Amino acid sequence: MDCWEVLGLDAEASRKQVKIAYAKLLKQTRPDDDPEGFQRLHKAYKSALSYAVSEAAYAEFVTESVNAADPANV
């Protein structure tokens, strides 16, 4: 099971969507009631958030690269 499936999101989710999904599911998956479920949810959250941050950084890198390669910016 991947992080997106656990959170009920698609792989294109933003950081904000990841955080909202986690908060919503955290209300249903309490660490004291379901420690294994909570661990799975928390791991999925961290993975998805890391991926979302990486995607944002990549998008910024691509934008900067395109702008640097554009002769009009010289």
Side-chain angles (χ1 to χ4, degrees), residues 3-4 7 18 41-53:
C3 62
W4 305 112
L7 294 169
V18 170
L41 175 62
H42 188 70
K43 184 177 177 181
Y45 168 70
K46 290 292 189 180
S47 295
L49 194 59
S50 174
Y51 181 79
V53 169

Side-chain angles (χ1 to χ4, degrees), residues 1-48:
M1 183 177 294
D2 71 354
C3 62
W4 305 112
E5 189 176 337
V6 171
L7 294 169
L9 297 171
D10 61 30
E12 307 300 319
S14 67
R15 290 187 71 201
K16 183 176 181 177
Q17 291 170 318
V18 170
K19 290 180 178 186
I20 290 170
Y22 177 69
K24 181 179 174 183
L25 292 169
L26 190 57
K27 292 178 184 177
Q28 302 167 4
T29 309
R30 305 299 308 161
D32 49 339
D33 295 335
D34 183 6
E36 291 175 13
F38 173 76
Q39 287 293 338
R40 185 175 56 251
L41 175 62
H42 188 70
K43 184 177 177 181
Y45 168 70
K46 290 292 189 180
S47 295

